[in-house]
Amino acid sequence: MPRPPQTKTSTRKISERRLSDVAKHLVVPSGIKTTGYPAVEAQCRKMGVQHDPWQKGLGRAILAKRENGLYAAGIGGVLISICRQVGKTFSIGTIVFALCILFPGIKVLWTAHHSATSDETFETLSALARRRRIAPYIAHNGIRQGNGKQRIKFANGSRIMFGAREHGFGRGIPGVTIVVFDEAQILKAKALSDMIPAANTATNPLIIYMGTPPKPDDPAEVFRARRKKALAIKEQRAKGDPVDYDTLYVEVGADAGDDVEDRATLEKANPSFPDRTPWESILRLRENLTDPSDWAREGLGIWDEEELGGSREIMAEEWQATEVTAVPEEGLRALGVAFSADGTRVAVAGALKHSGGSHLELIDANTGSLEEGIGPLADWIALRAHTIAQITISGRAGADALALALRERKVSAKAIRVASTPEYFAACSMLPDAVRGTTVTHPAAPEGDLLDASVAVCDKKFRGTAGSWGWAATTADGDETPTEAISLALWGVRTTKRRPGKKQEVI
Ligand SMILES: Nc1ncnc2c1ncn2[C@@H]1O[C@H](COP(=O)(O)OP(=O)(O)OP(=O)(O)O)[C@@H](O)[C@H]1O
Ligand SMILES: [Mg+2]
């Protein structure tokens, strides 16, 4: 347990620390030209609220705008990983109040996973709304209690609605411009995609995800994946690469390996301690967090060491968005064949290019056919080769042998392409771009589908210095070859000039 502070909190000077001193990771959106914070700060002053230096920095970053006047983090949103009792509710709450007052008639959705958290936030912000200098901005009878109905309404028509995601609150509410996801470490992609369309219709939406580092079994796919992406962007920028980024990522916390019982660690993690958050509040929190690793995460904002937890480049919601039940039949066909580095696994995929894009399907993966040699695979492909524009093969362990076996079976040399390393990289990066641009589709598959399982654990593995990358599975039993195979099939169908069946192509 950290030792109590030596001086009384009331006599201490408010922390002078700025956001950049406080944040362990601060990854800002690109293209920032201005910020909407000064107006918010002025409004806060009228409400008798004075932000501390780090909170001002946070406000400036959240409300940063691009040249077009829209929020720079308007697309990816604002992600804040921060420990408990640091002033999340206060900081974001006062900013949201000021925005509600400055922009009449706006709708804000404030959700937490648990109703206990949501109720507590509503209580805290109701108390704020009743303050002498804030109450005049609130509508008559503007504070409404009641399960699932809690809201604060301002005199100018703006309102904040509160509710818990565990009870399905927040789906399909139209006209929302600001969404706050509290407890963002408990947020599944599905819940997110159910709620986000509500804000998508707004011209200048602001979506704030805030939470503590997740426990191992928290459904934190959204939070983990976005943090990972932010850290990769940070790394790229450190190398001098000015990458585009439409998200703000702020991580406040102590470092892994810090002594969790040391008071200095607490001060490092929590810029509001002890000036704003008194020792008693920390003690109360600690009573509920007896396990040191819970304390490290929630009390000190320390993320667990990155385990082989299965990270993914293509997010579940992105992948789902390209699912189809009706499969196109007419079009140009290509195959992709990916061998694993050790040659023990292989996956075969097909791509069909039609007028609306390309359809991708996994045909077979890791069926053990390699134990019988690549003969059966070559037979299977050769039988269909006359309908196929290109067969793109990667993986040194099997590519040349398969190419040879295909030649022996009279498959046109022009149809066989053993991908060079740059071609392999090009194929890999083509896939996420195509998924995001929804220019590809794949079949909706039942639970346990090999392609879905592969995409779910495949992430970028950077090779060399030029930023090129290939697919790698991020779990011990994950298989990258199905994702590679569809990437190769897509690349082949898009780049080949062959049109099978034409006279000059006949062997
Ligand atoms: N700028 C400030 N001015 C006045 N009080 C502040 C300021 N910043 C933080 N506080 C105070 O710090 C305390 C902790 O803030 P808050 O309740 O918002 O923390 P939190 O991070 O939401 O905590 P929890 O994780 O428990 O929900 C509150 O008493 C809040 O009023
Ligand atoms: Mg709070």
Side-chain angles (χ1 to χ4, degrees), residues 23 29 35 64 69 95 156 174 182 266 292 294 316 339 341 357 367 369 377 381 394 398 405 413 434 454 461 467:
T35 172
I95 290 174
N156 66 4
D182 201 352
L266 180 60
D294 285 342
F339 288 90
T367 51
S369 57
L377 175 60
I381 295 174
S394 84
S454 173
K461 183 171 180 186

Side-chain angles (χ1 to χ4, degrees), residues 84-85 87-90 117 120-121 124 182 210:
R84 299 282 313 276
Q85 281 295 307
K88 286 186 295 298
T89 307
F90 184 87
T117 311
E120 194 188 297
T121 303
T124 306
D182 201 352
M210 54 187 191

Side-chain angles (χ1 to χ4, degrees), residues 487-499:
S487 303
L488 294 164
L490 173 65
W491 180 82
V493 89
R494 280 209 185 156
T495 56
T496 183
K497 297 206 167 56
R498 272 191 92 234
R499 297 293 175 268

